[in-house]
Amino acid sequence: MPWLAPSDPFDPDQQAAPVSGIASRLVRHDSGLHSHQRGQLLFAYAGSIRMALPGMISMVPPIRVAWIPPATPHRVLIRGEVEYRSIYLDTTRIVPPTEGAAILSMTPLLREVFERISHAPFNTDWDKGVAANLLAVCLDELRTARREPMLLPVPGDARLSRLNLDALPPELAELADLVGASARTLTRIFRRETGMNYQSWRQSWRLLKAVDLLASGARVTEVASELGFASDSAFIAFFRQMTGETPRRYLHGRT
C-alpha cells in the first residue's frame, strides 16, 4: 500500500505502470516549483491545498480535485496539515480526463474510487480485472465532472509585483496609490491579463480564500472578518451570489 511518509522518495515518472497513486500527510509544506512528465490528479482528503500554476493560483479543498497536465510547472503550498492523495497518469497510454489545467468537482463515487486507486500497489496491472474497472470508472467520472471556477488568473505586469496574493487585495484606489498607476491603467491591465475588471477579480480572490479558510476549519464569523465583510450575513450573501449555495452546503452538501 503506497502510503508515503514525507521523507519517502517517490518519482512518478520512474514508475513502469501507466497509473500510480500515493497517499500522504504533510504539515506546512512548500513543494517548490516543479513539474512531472505525467499528468497529476491532486486531491486533499482532509485540509486545503494552495496551488500555483503559470499565471494562475487556486485552492483545492476536499470537494475538488485538480488536474495538472504533464510538464506543467506547479507549486503546492500547505500552511497547516493536509492529508492528500495523488494519482499520476502516463498520458501517452491513457487519454487525459480533460484538456488543460482544471479544478473538477469531487463526487462521492469518484472519492471512493480515487481512494482505492491511490492506495493500490505500484505494480498493479491496470489493463484487467478489478483495477481496470476502477480506472475506467475514475476516468468516466472525471470526464463528466463539472469544471469549477477555482483557477484565478494572475496579472504578470511588473507594476503589480507589490500586490500581495496572500492578503485581501485593497480597493482599486488604494492599489493605484500603492503601485503608482492610475485606476484606469490598472483596469486596463486586469482586463487584458485576466479577462475581468479589478472588482470582479478581487471578488474571485475572496471566494478562493473563503473556500480555503472554510475547508481548513475556520468559522463563518472568522472568514467574514478576515475577508473584510461587515457581517456574517453579508459574507453568506456574497458566497451564495458567487456559488449559488451557502458556505455550509457548498462544503458539505456534495460529498
Side-chain angles (χ1 to χ4, degrees), residues 6 103 135 166:
I103 307 297
L135 180 59
D166 290 325

PDB file of all heavy atoms in Angstrom, residues 6 103 135 166:
ATOM      1  N   PRO A   6       6.497  11.822   4.539  1.00  0.00           N
ATOM      2  CA  PRO A   6       7.070  12.953   3.810  1.00  0.00           C
ATOM      3  C   PRO A   6       8.516  12.732   3.377  1.00  0.00           C
ATOM      4  O   PRO A   6       8.960  13.306   2.385  1.00  0.00           O
ATOM      5  CB  PRO A   6       6.962  14.105   4.816  1.00  0.00           C
ATOM      6  CG  PRO A   6       5.809  13.737   5.683  1.00  0.00           C
ATOM      7  CD  PRO A   6       5.870  12.243   5.808  1.00  0.00           C
ATOM      8  N   ILE A 103      -9.913  22.508 -12.285  1.00  0.00           N
ATOM      9  CA  ILE A 103     -10.396  22.110 -10.966  1.00  0.00           C
ATOM     10  C   ILE A 103     -11.771  21.494 -11.185  1.00  0.00           C
ATOM     11  O   ILE A 103     -12.671  22.142 -11.719  1.00  0.00           O
ATOM     12  CB  ILE A 103     -10.487  23.305  -9.999  1.00  0.00           C
ATOM     13  CG1 ILE A 103      -9.160  24.056  -9.939  1.00  0.00           C
ATOM     14  CG2 ILE A 103     -10.901  22.813  -8.611  1.00  0.00           C
ATOM     15  CD1 ILE A 103      -7.992  23.267  -9.420  1.00  0.00           C
ATOM     16  N   LEU A 135     -10.224   1.997 -12.765  1.00  0.00           N
ATOM     17  CA  LEU A 135      -9.655   3.065 -13.582  1.00  0.00           C
ATOM     18  C   LEU A 135     -10.695   3.605 -14.562  1.00  0.00           C
ATOM     19  O   LEU A 135     -10.798   4.828 -14.758  1.00  0.00           O
ATOM     20  CB  LEU A 135      -8.426   2.561 -14.329  1.00  0.00           C
ATOM     21  CG  LEU A 135      -7.716   3.569 -15.223  1.00  0.00           C
ATOM     22  CD1 LEU A 135      -7.235   4.778 -14.422  1.00  0.00           C
ATOM     23  CD2 LEU A 135      -6.532   2.914 -15.946  1.00  0.00           C
ATOM     24  N   ASP A 166      -1.431  36.833  -0.837  1.00  0.00           N
ATOM     25  CA  ASP A 166      -1.814  36.117   0.376  1.00  0.00           C
ATOM     26  C   ASP A 166      -2.713  36.942   1.291  1.00  0.00           C
ATOM     27  O   ASP A 166      -3.258  36.424   2.258  1.00  0.00           O
ATOM     28  CB  ASP A 166      -0.564  35.695   1.162  1.00  0.00           C
ATOM     29  CG  ASP A 166       0.214  34.598   0.455  1.00  0.00           C
ATOM     30  OD1 ASP A 166      -0.428  33.744  -0.181  1.00  0.00           O
ATOM     31  OD2 ASP A 166       1.452  34.599   0.532  1.00  0.00           O
TER      32      ASP A 166
END
